Amino acid sequence: MAATYESTEQATAAYYGALLGGLSDALKRHDIVGRVVRVIRLRLRFDEYYSPEYVPPVLEVRGPDRQVRATVTVVQGVSEPAYSVRPADGERYYLFPVSEGAVALAFLVARAKDWQLTS
């Protein structure tokens, strides 16, 4: 089964990427590895031009064994964007408004301690 993602505008993808990049930088200060994955789809055909499609970026949070332990995306909430954190061990999502990014960071750092014990 192939993963399908809705495309978004370039400015929105860049903004979400910047938010996730800031969260990744904060995780690095706690010795937690994160990588922002950005996807741009291009259709290339002879004598035809298609506009690029931008997929919302994803932050992959990895454990000490370099396995993905959680993914973080940015979703548009009712009043503001929010971090959507999904641990790899379950189907549950946790939402944190971007204005409360410190709470999302604390959640990931606390979970990372568990990841280090179980790896």
Side-chain angles (χ1 to χ4, degrees), residues 37 40 46 48 67 91 106:
V37 178
I40 301 172
F46 184 72
E48 293 181 35
Q67 296 295 317
E91 294 295 319

Side-chain angles (χ1 to χ4, degrees), residues 1-50:
M1 181 167 121
T4 59
Y5 299 97
E6 291 184 24
S7 62
T8 186
E9 299 209 8
Q10 182 180 6
T12 303
Y15 174 62
Y16 290 175
L19 289 172
L20 294 174
L23 185 59
S24 177
D25 291 343
L27 287 170
K28 284 180 190 174
R29 286 185 228 123
H30 294 278
D31 296 323
I32 300 169
V33 178
R35 178 176 63 163
V36 179
V37 178
R38 294 175 176 89
V39 176
I40 301 172
R41 291 190 201 137
L42 294 173
R43 282 194 208 168
L44 301 175
R45 292 184 181 201
F46 184 72
D47 287 343
E48 293 181 35
Y49 174 77
Y50 295 93

Side-chain angles (χ1 to χ4, degrees), residues 49-62:
Y49 174 77
Y50 295 93
S51 298
E53 295 179 15
Y54 297 88
V55 176
V58 176
L59 173 63
E60 295 178 344
V61 181
R62 297 177 179 268

Side-chain angles (χ1 to χ4, degrees), residues 35-106:
R35 178 176 63 163
V36 179
V37 178
R38 294 175 176 89
V39 176
I40 301 172
R41 291 190 201 137
L42 294 173
R43 282 194 208 168
L44 301 175
R45 292 184 181 201
F46 184 72
D47 287 343
E48 293 181 35
Y49 174 77
Y50 295 93
S51 298
E53 295 179 15
Y54 297 88
V55 176
V58 176
L59 173 63
E60 295 178 344
V61 181
R62 297 177 179 268
D65 58 356
R66 303 295 188 223
Q67 296 295 317
V68 175
R69 300 305 177 103
T71 56
V72 183
T73 57
V74 178
V75 296
Q76 184 58 45
V78 174
S79 61
E80 68 177 308
Y83 292 111
S84 174
V85 179
R86 181 175 179 232
D89 61 356
E91 294 295 319
R92 175 172 277 176
Y93 290 83
Y94 299 90
L95 292 177
F96 303 95
V98 294
S99 61
E100 299 175 16
V103 178
L105 176 65

